[in-house]
Amino acid sequence: MSGSSTVLIVEDESAQAQVLTYNLEAAGYSVLYAECGEDGIQQARLHRPDLIVLDWMLPDMSGIDVCRTLKTDVDTRDIPIMMLTARGSEDDKIRGLTVGADDYVTKPYSNRELIARINANMRRYGLGTEALSYAGIEMNTETHRVSRDGDIIKLGPTEFKLLRTLLSRPKKVYSRAQLLDHVWGMDIHIDERTVDVHMGRLRRAINTDGKPDLVRTIRGAGYALDKDA
């Protein structure tokens, strides 16, 4: 059910991380792994995973500090975070949720329950699904069918990936660097102006027949899909 959704595991116990990785990949997820807080923060900023599974106790900094850092960063604050911890008191749970954690799982846990909780959080945030929609635009990521107000839209592969990224979090502003990462990948050296060219093509494709322009350009920042632009 998860398609190509990515989960970042931040966990210093390698054996536990390996088991969780195995179960997540068996469930269809792509998995990233970090064994310390600083690496977890860097990977979250670089790859923008769909969800983060974050251990409370890490060798360099606490999961609470990692969570607080990610939730105060404009580039990562929208990523759902599930805290894993042996701390089961009500005060600890409240502390975790207060700094921005979206869910809280107490150790020991069953892998089946954890995967179910991850799936539930994906559904809650509209991630990992085949259907995406916003302001009359409908996208099926499995069949690559895109329409607006019932009219079929033909997109090239790059424009499809751009629209999928924007549809995943409507109104969120994506920088050109982030769009390059999501669509072309960090290992490909492409000028950021290439994003502008393809965004122009996307804008022309979805804003036909006098329909309102849904692509908002934020000078010096990037792009967003926003019906209130």
Side-chain angles (χ1 to χ4, degrees):
M1 64 164 288
S2 59
S4 59
S5 298
T6 301
V7 176
L8 169 62
I9 301 171
V10 186
E11 166 67 77
D12 65 321
E13 296 181 19
S14 59
Q16 189 164 324
Q18 288 174 9
V19 172
L20 181 53
T21 297
Y22 173 83
N23 282 277
L24 282 168
E25 290 179 342
Y29 290 98
S30 298
V31 179
L32 300 169
Y33 171 60
E35 60 182 1
C36 68
E38 187 60 38
D39 187 26
I41 292 170
Q42 294 304 316
Q43 290 210 44
R45 289 171 172 165
L46 180 63
H47 299 291
R48 283 201 48 80
D50 295 292
L51 183 141
I52 299 172
V53 177
L54 173 63
D55 188 30
W56 183 303
M57 300 296 293
L58 295 168
D60 57 338
M61 58 196 301
S62 74
I64 288 291
D65 290 334
V66 174
C67 185
R68 182 183 294 110
T69 298
L70 294 175
K71 288 299 185 177
T72 54
D73 187 325
V74 66
D75 292 329
T76 56
R77 64 187 180 191
D78 294 329
I79 303 174
I81 294 178
M82 294 179 61
M83 293 285 296
L84 300 181
T85 180
R87 298 170 177 264
S89 72
E90 182 180 8
D91 287 344
D92 287 328
K93 291 181 180 180
I94 291 173
R95 184 181 174 197
L97 296 171
T98 299
V99 298
D102 298 270
D103 200 358
Y104 194 102
V105 180
T106 304
K107 297 179 180 180
Y109 55 82
S110 75
N111 284 295
R112 289 182 61 188
E113 177 190 0
L114 184 58
I115 297 298
R117 296 278 285 274
I118 290 172
N119 289 339
N121 276 279
M122 288 286 187
R123 289 192 297 270
R124 175 185 174 192
Y125 287 92
L127 303 168
T129 58
E130 293 176 356
L132 296 171
S133 64
Y134 177 73
I137 295 180
E138 303 283 342
M139 170 183 282
N140 187 303
T141 60
E142 183 177 44
T143 64
H144 279 226
R145 180 185 176 94
V146 180
S147 64
R148 181 173 182 183
D149 299 330
D151 298 325
I152 297 299
I153 299 172
K154 293 184 178 180
L155 297 175
T158 300
E159 287 70 42
F160 181 89
K161 291 178 182 178
L162 281 170
L163 181 58
R164 180 177 182 175
T165 300
L166 296 175
L167 275 172
S168 68
R169 290 187 174 89
K171 297 192 176 185
K172 171 179 170 51
V173 178
Y174 287 89
S175 69
R176 289 168 176 82
Q178 288 174 332
L179 291 171
L180 281 173
D181 184 15
H182 279 267
V183 176
W184 286 271
M186 290 295 294
D187 295 331
I188 299 178
H189 300 290
I190 296 178
D191 193 289
E192 288 189 358
R193 288 174 294 182
T194 301
V195 175
D196 299 330
V197 173
H198 286 280
M199 287 300 298
R201 294 176 182 172
L202 175 62
R203 177 179 266 125
R204 290 191 293 272
I206 66 174
N207 299 325
T208 58
D209 301 324
K211 294 176 181 177
D213 188 356
L214 295 178
V215 178
R216 180 161 63 101
T217 303
I218 298 86
R219 186 176 179 86
Y223 296 93
L225 199 66
D226 190 349
K227 65 181 180 181
D228 300 319

